[in-house]
Amino acid sequence: MQIGIGMLGWGVVGSSVHRLLEEVSHDIRRRLGSTLKIVAVAVREPNKKRQYPIPDGLLRASPLQVVRDSKVRIVVELMGGLEPARKAITESIVLKKPVVTANKALLADMSGALFELCDLHETEIAFEAAVGGAVPIVRTLRLSLASDRIEGLTGIVNGTTNYVLEQMECGQSLDAAIREAQAAGFAEADPSLDLHGVDAAQKLALLSELAFGAPLQWRDVPTTGIQSLGPADLSYAAELGFRIKLLARANRLRIPRRLMARVSPYLVPRGSVLASIGGASNAVLLESHAAGPSLLAGRGAGGPATATAVISDLIDVARRHAANTAGLGCYLWASAPLPLASLDEEEERAYLRFAVRDRPGVLGRLATILGQSDVSIASMVQHGRKNEPVDVVLITHAALHRDIRTALEQIEREECVMGHPQWIPLLEPGPIRSG
Ligand code: HSE
């Protein structure tokens, strides 16, 4: 039997899905008992010159024409963005055609409404490719650990920033590293979504809803990107025994019942497993009640890696479709809201970098202001005094986020301090270590 696939989008991921489907068609037939065949395609820019052209006869005039095509049984949406993706996905659900998508922005904004619609029409949306590229984190949370209670997750979920930070460690500029990430097909069409942490916050919202069964709006997640980090921060971090990684974190807090969620660059101890995740790879550390710590890691972005997730969803969905059980109990979706904890109440150790005029008393002044806010200094680095300003880098003992913030607001107003202080939290060593 042949199952007709309608493709919306033919970019880096879409064309990779086509190539991979052809390459592994024999294996798919063996595993599924059917062949998956792309029978119709719609794209935003039909006349664009493409490295991998759309095969003759497949291009349709609009996404809705693809969705409504009687030969299309499953729709793959890889256009990204809100429209026309939302309209096409909605139409597909109403026609009871399952959807496979990588569109985290759309899902992070309106997963609730789309899943309700799926329930109503007894069909489903599969979205393994929306988070973590080839890393099967969605399926793990939906199925493999559905038996357990997830207490926390910490992930590198944006391949672009992980790649960019690593390149910057080797002395490359932020702009050059982003251009490389774009050329490799990791970055979003608008790379500021990667750099500012928006992509990671959207993925964290999806993972949190699956992990904790609590709806989370990505716009409510305190989010800091990597755009203000300079090569100096990466080199001071290395000197102090850390690497800088953009992490997405969420934890269930008990008293009071809260969800802590945050996206931020962190100083991650060398030797910890997250510090060893390089290039555009992704990794998610899960902490669950009975199973304890688990780690999933792999290629987090790029055409072929993301295409594997799309095709595994296609196989999964096609199996249920063939058995006539599509949409039945497929989702562990948000059930009970969990209020977000205030970041100000979090305790953290912090890396602080101040650009200061190198004069007697400056260090004492910084230490006094921090001390007045109950922020205690654990260690310090300062090099040379040839150039003004000089960097003073401090690592603090654990302190309340609010107290660090209050101290930095005051320090920023000091005449001897130039520009904004840099502030990066430290990730405490976790249960899984590398090597
Ligand atoms: N821009 C995303 C990333 C692509 O770099 O991780 C995969 O979602």
Side-chain angles (χ1 to χ4, degrees), residues 111-112 115-116 118-119 123-127 137-150 205-216 252 320 327-336:
S111 57
F115 285 102
E116 268 178 34
C118 282
D119 274 351
T123 191
E124 61 185 289
I125 300 181
F127 55 97
I137 181 65
V138 172
R139 193 159 290 120
T140 299
L141 290 172
R142 270 181 54 199
L143 297 172
S144 316
L145 287 176
S147 49
D148 205 356
R149 183 184 167 89
I150 310 288
L206 284 173
L207 292 183
S208 295
E209 294 197 24
L210 285 170
F212 307 111
L216 176 63
R252 210 193 278 274
R320 274 193 295 281
L328 299 181
C330 297
Y331 294 101
L332 291 173
W333 207 242
S335 50

Side-chain angles (χ1 to χ4, degrees), residues 348-392:
E348 67 191 43
R349 290 194 294 153
Y351 158 103
L352 306 174
R353 176 170 61 82
F354 305 96
V356 297
R357 297 182 211 282
D358 194 9
R359 294 192 203 131
V362 167
L363 200 54
R365 186 75 195 127
L366 297 180
T368 302
I369 297 172
L370 287 164
Q372 282 164 348
S373 290
D374 267 346
V375 181
S376 163
I377 297 166
S379 57
M380 193 208 103
V381 176
Q382 184 190 336
H383 289 306
R385 51 178 309 179
K386 268 189 252 139
N387 305 311
E388 288 254 326
V390 294
D391 280 334
V392 171

Side-chain angles (χ1 to χ4, degrees), residues 410-427:
Q410 191 181 337
I411 287 174
E412 202 171 331
R413 291 196 294 271
E414 291 288 306
E415 187 271 331
C416 59
V417 174
M418 300 158 85
H420 294 293
Q422 185 64 270
W423 172 12
I424 309 172
L426 267 60
L427 183 73

Side-chain angles (χ1 to χ4, degrees), residues 164-215:
V164 166
L165 288 171
E166 190 166 78
Q167 294 305 107
M168 285 171 71
E169 282 176 335
C170 305
Q172 200 170 32
S173 73
L174 183 93
D175 286 347
I178 293 167
R179 277 197 299 277
E180 278 188 15
Q182 283 178 305
F186 307 147
E188 296 301 300
D190 171 4
S192 70
L193 298 177
D194 298 297
L195 292 182
H196 291 236
V198 172
D199 178 81
Q202 290 171 338
K203 290 169 177 169
L204 182 65
L206 284 173
L207 292 183
S208 295
E209 294 197 24
L210 285 170
F212 307 111

Side-chain angles (χ1 to χ4, degrees), residues 179-312:
R179 277 197 299 277
E180 278 188 15
Q182 283 178 305
F186 307 147
E188 296 301 300
D190 171 4
S192 70
L193 298 177
D194 298 297
L195 292 182
H196 291 236
V198 172
D199 178 81
Q202 290 171 338
K203 290 169 177 169
L204 182 65
L206 284 173
L207 292 183
S208 295
E209 294 197 24
L210 285 170
F212 307 111
L216 176 63
Q217 299 298 321
W218 68 267
R219 289 183 182 82
D220 295 340
V221 175
T223 298
T224 308
I226 66 161
Q227 68 277 13
S228 76
L229 299 184
D233 296 307
L234 292 148
S235 99
Y236 288 125
E239 189 176 336
L240 291 160
F242 297 90
R243 294 186 84 188
I244 300 180
K245 297 285 178 190
L246 183 75
L247 300 184
R249 307 187 65 201
N251 281 84
R252 210 193 278 274
L253 308 178
R254 298 245 170 253
I255 309 168
R257 245 184 103 254
R258 292 276 183 276
L259 183 70
M260 187 290 286
R262 183 178 189 184
V263 170
S264 169
Y266 277 82
L267 259 67
V268 178
R270 265 186 199 286
S272 66
V273 73
L274 289 177
S276 70
I277 304 300
S281 296
N282 280 193
V284 183
L285 269 170
L286 296 171
E287 189 63 44
S288 61
H289 174 67
S294 328
L295 171 75
L296 283 97
R299 287 198 180 148
T306 312
T308 62
V310 171
I311 295 174
S312 69

Side-chain angles (χ1 to χ4, degrees), residues 63-64 67-68 82-92 106:
L64 286 183
V67 171
R68 289 173 184 157
L82 298 188
E83 294 294 357
R86 186 201 58 84
K87 205 165 171 199
I89 289 176
T90 306
E91 175 77 0
S92 185
L106 179 71

